[in-house]
């Protein structure tokens, strides 16, 4: 049973526009959420995280929103740039001791069109 | 600071053999986690080590084991290899223990079992 779901395998966005990547989770015990970006032949790169006590966290062009009642989070990238083309993974954990490490979604391939 | 390094980058083994993969974390990071990435299952947590002790373990058979040395370097061992063990094995380090916080990933070791 997949506890973290990214329902869009791919997303195409024009350069300069907003990219919105979505993620849903089923385990209500998750209390820490992260987004990673992955280029081919490289390991995932940490982008931004959010604790369940917040509903928004910003870092430059990246903003993560958390809706706990809907068990949904999203990553907004504004404005989108060609270098943002990559696979984006959503991850969740139990925070604290994080007994099961990070639980990842299967990723969304973001393609930024010039 | 140098990033997480993993050796070797590519490996081909035969079914039934065993393999050892190595990981050097970011300097100062005491937590090292291992993940398996396959096309079907995505990224899955294997285990986490902190100060030479395995603290958390994912849902993998006992053929998968690891250890951590006093300098925080870690090794992962897979015995009696099966075809399904073919995957990208990622090591990640973190300044915080528990495995549930931000993880900084290495480039991975691509293992092919024939």
């Amino acid at each position: 049973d997949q506890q973290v779901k990214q329902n869009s395998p791919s997303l195409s966005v024009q350069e300069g526009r907003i990219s919105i990547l979505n993620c849903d989770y089923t385990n209500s015990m998750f209390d820490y959420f992260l987004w990673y970006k992955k280029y081919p032949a490289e390991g995932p790169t940490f982008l931004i995280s959010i604790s369940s006590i917040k509903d928004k966290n910003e870092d430059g062009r990246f903003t993560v929103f958390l809706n706990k009642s809907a068990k949904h989070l999203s990553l907004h990238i504004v404005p989108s740039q060609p270098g943002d083309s990559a696979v984006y993974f959503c991850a969740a954990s139990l925070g604290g001791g994080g007994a099961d490490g990070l639980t990842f979604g299967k990723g969304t391939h973001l393609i930024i069109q010039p | 600071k140098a990033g997480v390094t993993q050796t070797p980058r590519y490996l081909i083994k035969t079914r039934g053999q065993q393999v050892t993969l190595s990981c050097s974390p970011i300097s100062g990071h005491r937590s090292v986690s291992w993940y398996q990435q396959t096309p079907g299952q995505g990224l899955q947590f294997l285990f986490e080590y902190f100060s030479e002790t395995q603290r958390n373990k994912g849902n993998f058979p006992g053929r998968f084991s690891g250890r951590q040395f006093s300098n925080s370097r870690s090794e992962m061992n897979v015995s009696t290899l099966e075809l399904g063990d073919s995957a990208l094995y990622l090591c990640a380090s973190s300044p915080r223990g528990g495995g549930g916080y931000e993880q900084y990933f290495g480039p991975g070791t691509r293992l092919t079992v024939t």
Side-chain angles (χ1 to χ4, degrees), chain A residues 31-32 93-99, chain B residues 55 97-101:
Chain A
D31 64 357
Y32 199 74
S93 79
L94 300 174
Chain B
R55 290 175 41 149
Y101 294 114

Side-chain angles (χ1 to χ4, degrees), chain A residues 34-45:
Chain A
L34 309 91
W35 283 94
Y36 282 83
K37 175 168 81 170
K38 187 178 186 300
Y39 294 121
E42 294 183 13
T45 301

Side-chain angles (χ1 to χ4, degrees), chain A residues 6 9 21 35-48 62 75 77 82-90 104-111, chain B residues 6 9-10 35-39 42-44 87-91 105-110:
Chain A
Q6 294 177 257
L21 296 112
W35 283 94
Y36 282 83
K37 175 168 81 170
K38 187 178 186 300
Y39 294 121
E42 294 183 13
T45 301
F46 169 70
L47 278 175
I48 192 168
F62 302 93
L75 174 69
I77 306 173
D84 296 330
S85 293
V87 178
Y88 288 77
F89 291 96
C90 166
F104 282 87
K106 295 203 172 178
T108 296
H109 186 193
L110 176 64
I111 301 161
Chain B
Q6 292 186 245
R9 293 292 310 278
Y10 302 92
Y35 287 80
Q36 181 196 66
Q37 184 180 23
T38 58
L43 274 152
Q44 292 186 290
L88 180 67
Y89 289 90
L90 291 157
C91 168
F105 285 85
T109 294
R110 171 73 63 185

Side-chain angles (χ1 to χ4, degrees), chain A residues 10-11 31 50-51 71 86 89:
Chain A
S10 67
L11 176 67
D31 64 357
I50 187 167
S51 163
K71 295 194 184 69
F89 291 96

